[in-house]
Amino acid sequence: MKIPIARSCLLESEINSVLEPLRSGWLVQGPKVKEFEDKWCAFTGTQNSIAVTSCTSGLLLSLAASGFGPGDEAIVPAFTWISTANVVENLGGKVVFCDIDLQTFNIDITKIESKVTERTKAILPVHLFGLSADMGPIVELANKYNWFVVEDAACGLGAKYKGLHVGSFGNTGCFSFHPRKAITTGEGGMVTTNDDGLAEKIRRLRDHGAAMTDLQRHLGSSPYLLADHPDAGYNQRMTDLQAAIGSAQMDRADVIVSERQALAKKYDDAFAKLDWLRTPFRGNDYEHGYQSYPCFFMPEEISVSSVKEINANRNKWMDDLQKSGISTRPATHAVHMLSFYKEKYNLIPEDFPNAYAADQCSISLPLFHGLKEDEQDFVIEKVLEFKR
Ligand SMILES: Cc1ncc(COP(=O)(O)O)c(C=O)c1O
């Protein structure tokens, strides 16, 4: 049996949905994009949704819309996908890393305030792997210091904090539709915001800074009227082909999230007695969306001096699982250890010891909707066979 870490699972009707825009001839930023955005608002309970080319472009447009630029600092968790930090650099800003909490893999809220300088303008909390960051204290700090909050909700479909969907706490929230995410459009992203003025600005920035959309122009009565461009924007428009596939999947978004939660529960129950494997955090205030199933290997033995040995054991176990046909991955990166950031900011792994430990000692097991019962049973059987 071969079990991938993730497998996108589209229904025939979802695949066929791409034919409608192809036949209509409206291929970019048209009615299907609008339909997808409306369904996203309904699902997340947010006022505005803006479809873009990726989560990364959503993060960039959000920060750009806030006026973030050269000399400004943004606080970013040290354990995340690199693009959470890259967008800060791309706009000429400075990344200020903050360590994470090893129970949740998310930013450690007790360490945020020590990162503040007079140049801090923004914070990008990440809802890693589908678990919300602790948004209450983060929003409180943001209000206190007047920060712009961009939620990196790339993995956040179905993730809730105190009953509210992620993407509704910050100034914006940014989601990804990369194939490893619960809903995929190949590439693609969505920005959510409850601020109508900000939504308008982001809509403009995604479309070359144009004050009028293509759809408005085409439906208008004056052929000589071109849009004005109040901003030097970007081209981050989603195609209607992508939006058609995304919109079709939204009709079963609840089912997709429930299936992922049920798969996670089965793993949780099967591994509950293992002291050498810590399964993903569950807490009363949190509903996990399970974009993936990240575990911590040998959590009880973790210390700065033990990381190397635990990492060697984890890697050997990952190799053994691979030989049995089961794909696993480290959960994500300690971004401060990647060459660009390590060299630019002269960082060492121990500067953010928890991010370093998470990078070296985490393991994500296969979890995706469409994972078959015998496939999951096989993963469970092989994990339980592990001998320390
Ligand atoms: C936490 C996080 N942020 C940002 C991204 C980037 O998303 P995209 O590939 O849609 O730009 C990812 C993608 O995996 C991610 O996991």
Side-chain angles (χ1 to χ4, degrees):
M1 198 177 296
K2 283 239 174 301
I3 307 169
I5 185 73
R7 182 165 62 212
S8 53
C9 204
L10 294 169
L11 303 178
E12 269 314 292
S13 57
E14 291 159 1
I15 293 169
N16 288 334
S17 67
V18 79
L19 297 174
E20 193 184 325
L22 281 174
R23 292 204 170 107
S24 79
W26 196 291
L27 303 186
V28 179
Q29 198 76 78
K32 281 291 164 188
V33 166
K34 171 86 173 65
E35 182 183 290
F36 189 22
E37 291 175 340
D38 288 347
K39 288 184 186 176
W40 198 262
C41 282
F43 190 82
T44 56
T46 50
Q47 251 167 258
N48 301 279
S49 292
I50 304 142
V52 288
T53 52
S54 67
C55 173
T56 305
S57 38
L59 299 170
L60 185 90
L61 294 183
S62 298
L63 274 187
S66 78
F68 186 90
D72 293 339
E73 294 181 3
I75 298 172
V76 174
F79 189 59
T80 180
W81 180 244
I82 190 169
S83 64
T84 323
N86 285 350
V87 293
V88 175
E89 293 288 324
N90 296 157
L91 289 170
K94 177 179 174 194
V95 174
V96 177
F97 287 115
C98 182
D99 210 354
I100 57 154
D101 176 347
L102 276 185
Q103 298 289 331
T104 63
F105 291 126
N106 282 329
I107 195 164
D108 182 343
I109 50 141
T110 66
K111 298 201 171 118
I112 295 175
E113 219 159 0
S114 67
K115 306 289 166 190
V116 178
T117 75
E118 73 277 8
R119 291 177 173 269
T120 312
K121 290 281 160 53
I123 184 165
L124 289 91
V126 182
H127 309 304
L128 216 45
F129 317 121
L131 178 70
S132 175
D134 192 357
M135 288 311 293
I138 293 172
V139 168
E140 247 174 62
L141 283 172
N143 290 339
K144 177 172 167 189
Y145 291 105
N146 196 23
W147 294 336
F148 192 80
V149 181
V150 180
E151 295 174 59
D152 181 337
C155 313
L157 182 85
K160 290 187 179 162
Y161 176 78
K162 300 192 174 170
L164 291 178
H165 202 284
V166 298
S168 52
F169 298 94
N171 296 84
T172 70
C174 304
F175 296 81
S176 172
F177 304 126
H178 177 268
R180 265 196 78 181
K181 307 303 185 291
I183 282 186
T184 184
T185 59
E187 295 282 4
M190 193 73 82
V191 182
T192 53
T193 178
N194 288 325
D195 177 337
D196 295 345
L198 186 59
E200 201 184 314
K201 174 100 178 165
I202 293 172
R203 280 198 188 97
R204 271 209 310 273
L205 287 179
R206 85 172 155 184
D207 188 14
H208 303 283
M212 200 195 290
T213 66
D214 287 350
L215 196 57
Q216 283 166 334
R217 256 191 318 111
H218 282 266
L219 297 177
S221 57
S222 309
Y224 47 84
L225 273 190
L226 291 179
D228 185 24
H229 290 245
D231 297 293
Y234 306 80
N235 180 357
Q236 307 285 20
R237 295 177 304 214
M238 180 180 271
T239 67
D240 267 39
L241 314 185
Q242 293 167 303
I245 300 172
S247 173
Q249 287 165 86
M250 286 312 287
D251 295 341
R252 60 178 181 122
D254 277 323
V255 176
I256 287 173
V257 172
S258 305
E259 187 177 334
R260 285 171 172 264
Q261 290 170 337
L263 290 165
K265 169 92 174 49
K266 183 162 167 177
Y267 276 149
D268 286 355
D269 292 346
F271 305 145
K273 293 210 171 73
L274 305 180
D275 58 358
W276 54 269
L277 193 74
R278 187 193 292 151
T279 55
F281 178 82
R282 280 177 177 274
N284 285 340
D285 288 339
Y286 299 85
E287 188 171 332
H288 207 311
Y290 295 105
Q291 176 267 337
S292 56
Y293 191 81
C295 299
F296 204 93
F297 183 63
M298 302 199 167
E300 304 312 316
E301 293 172 24
I302 197 75
S303 69
V304 170
S305 59
S306 65
V307 168
K308 277 201 170 66
E309 194 187 331
I310 296 176
N311 173 257
N313 287 331
R314 180 204 67 173
N315 292 352
K316 176 166 183 324
W317 185 42
M318 288 174 78
D319 277 338
D320 290 345
L321 288 170
Q322 188 72 41
K323 281 181 203 135
S324 318
I326 298 170
S327 289
T328 61
R329 293 284 182 277
T332 191
H333 290 287
V335 181
H336 72 291
M337 289 168 57
L338 300 173
S339 298
F340 177 83
Y341 291 98
K342 192 167 70 180
E343 285 160 22
K344 177 164 183 182
Y345 294 106
N346 202 16
L347 298 169
I348 57 169
E350 291 75 15
D351 284 333
F352 303 97
N354 288 351
Y356 173 53
D359 177 296
Q360 299 285 295
C361 308
S362 60
I363 174 167
S364 286
L365 299 175
L367 189 150
F368 46 88
H369 59 280
L371 180 67
K372 298 189 182 75
E373 194 177 349
D374 61 336
E375 291 177 319
Q376 189 176 24
D377 289 343
F378 184 63
V379 177
I380 291 172
E381 184 191 316
K382 289 292 160 195
V383 169
L384 295 178
E385 271 175 17
F386 175 77
K387 298 266 178 311
R388 315 179 70 157

